[in-house]
Amino acid sequence: MHFVIMSARLWRRRPAYSGRWEAARLSPLILTAVIAGLAFSTPREIAFSRLLPAAPALAAAMWPVLPTILLGAFCLLLMIVLSFFYTDLGTQYTAAAIVAVTLAAAYGSHVRLQREEMIFQIRLVADAAQKVLLRPLPRRIEGVEIESLYLAAQEQARIGGDFYEAIGTPHGVRLLIGDVRGKGLSAVGAASAVISCFREAAYDEPDLQGVIHRLETAVTRHSAAFPAQDQPEHFATALLAEIPHDGGCVRLLNCGHPPPLIAHHGKVRVLVPTIASPPLNLAALIGDRYWVDVVAFAPGDQLLLYTDGVSEARDHAGEFFPLPDWMRRQGLEQPRELLDQLHRALLQHSGGRLDDDIAALALRSSHAQDRGTVGIEG
């Protein structure tokens, strides 16, 4: 009784299927009809009726338990009807096979439904974790329009080592995007440590150097407390951005992260850092000097922040996705439209298969004032 109730629950919870999948779900009935038609229309020496056990076996792969049993009962009834017309079909053997296969198929359907229930519950937990780790961003903070994109490399995945955040603070709009080395739960834990620290430090620290020092300390402590089995320590690339309250510029602190792109009056620039800063948790090895570049960010300008899953997406020939060239071909779309087009372009370039997680933030300035500041802070 329990598995019948669970079957009904999962059957109702299934989303709307495409026409192709609907046809696949009808395949056990189609197979039954084809076998029955051949059994009645062909000479009895061929005995297509012996294929009837295949129908409930196929149903177990996609149907709940009760419909699978009912189909097996229908096949058994069909075999009995055939025996009235053909007395030498070996009805008793085929009927026994139908009963045995139907019972096995019902058990297989039950096991499959249990696994689907378990996967469903795991996905609920993963979705809740993602909403905490990568919570939905506000579409606008002060004079900045913001949209986000996250794509998991595996279809079943919900969270990974890529992360981002955007917060309105007393110091302006502050943004973070980054990528933890590695995959799995250890990468998720490190990403969670970085985001949690950023949400506090973004409010407290007066400059980006102070924020990055806090993030460095957080990753170092997390790596010491939760060492990963496949690597001696965690490290992460990160990019911090700060847009003042009155706009006009954006301050960028790049710690080994792919350089962002800025579109200004149809021209796209790759914002390579003037001086490289170390990734998080590597400052002890290569120094802890951090530099901030200041770039003009006028009204209407667009800024694209992304992880290496975007720039390193490969096609069938192994070529990287030409992100700057693609960006130059885009018009003055809204941030949401820009990310939607980027999503489609990445799937088309990679043939629908992503080898790495992807995260991106698209920003558009709508401040009334343009200060036109360009420079560097050390």
Side-chain angles (χ1 to χ4, degrees), residues 92-324:
Q92 64 274 24
Y93 301 109
T94 305
I98 292 174
V99 172
V101 171
T102 299
L103 292 177
Y107 178 74
S109 177
H110 169 60
V111 172
R112 175 180 58 82
L113 290 171
Q114 282 188 322
R115 291 180 178 176
E116 288 183 1
E117 176 75 11
M118 180 180 63
I119 293 174
F120 179 79
Q121 296 298 331
I122 292 174
R123 286 184 173 180
L124 288 179
V125 175
D127 286 339
Q130 186 187 38
K131 290 179 181 178
V132 174
L133 182 62
L134 297 179
R135 61 189 181 187
L137 300 181
R139 302 187 65 178
R140 185 183 184 91
I141 303 179
E142 298 182 7
V144 182
E145 302 173 35
I146 304 173
E147 293 288 351
S148 61
L149 172 68
Y150 181 83
L151 300 175
Q154 297 180 350
E155 184 179 356
Q156 296 82 5
R158 290 295 191 270
I159 51 180
D162 289 9
F163 55 89
Y164 56 77
E165 184 59 286
I167 302 175
T169 73
H171 316 287
V173 180
R174 286 182 168 176
L175 304 103
L176 166 70
I177 189 168
D179 183 6
V180 176
R181 174 181 178 265
K183 298 181 179 179
L185 293 178
S186 61
V188 174
S192 177
V194 174
I195 292 179
S196 299
C197 180
F198 174 77
R199 288 169 180 166
E200 294 295 329
Y203 285 97
D204 300 336
E205 298 296 334
D207 53 47
L208 294 183
Q209 287 93 337
V211 175
I212 205 66
H213 279 293
R214 293 269 293 271
L215 299 184
E216 171 74 19
T217 301
V219 176
T220 301
R221 289 176 177 173
H222 178 84
S223 180
F226 303 98
Q229 297 180 355
D230 59 340
Q231 56 195 52
E233 61 184 8
H234 297 95
F235 73 85
T237 65
L239 175 69
L240 292 178
E242 178 185 279
I243 303 172
H245 293 294
D246 53 358
C249 71
V250 57
R251 300 186 179 95
L252 299 171
L253 198 164
N254 193 330
C255 297
H257 199 74
L261 303 179
I262 188 169
H264 175 74
H265 296 308
K267 297 182 179 180
V268 175
R269 284 197 300 143
V270 181
L271 301 179
V272 179
T274 304
I275 302 176
S277 300
L280 300 177
N281 204 27
L282 293 183
L285 298 177
I286 58 180
D288 60 350
R289 293 290 305 276
Y290 300 100
W291 288 265
V292 176
D293 288 303
V294 185
V295 180
F297 193 46
D301 287 357
Q302 288 185 332
L303 186 66
L304 181 64
L305 315 179
Y306 57 93
T307 58
D308 58 5
V310 175
S311 56
E312 296 180 3
R314 296 176 182 267
D315 60 11
H316 65 279
E319 298 293 332
F320 289 135
F321 179 68
L323 182 60

Side-chain angles (χ1 to χ4, degrees), residues 336-351:
R336 182 71 269 158
E337 296 174 356
L338 181 68
L339 291 183
D340 290 342
Q341 292 185 16
L342 177 61
H343 184 184
R344 290 190 292 267
L346 287 171
L347 292 178
Q348 182 179 5
H349 179 79
S350 62

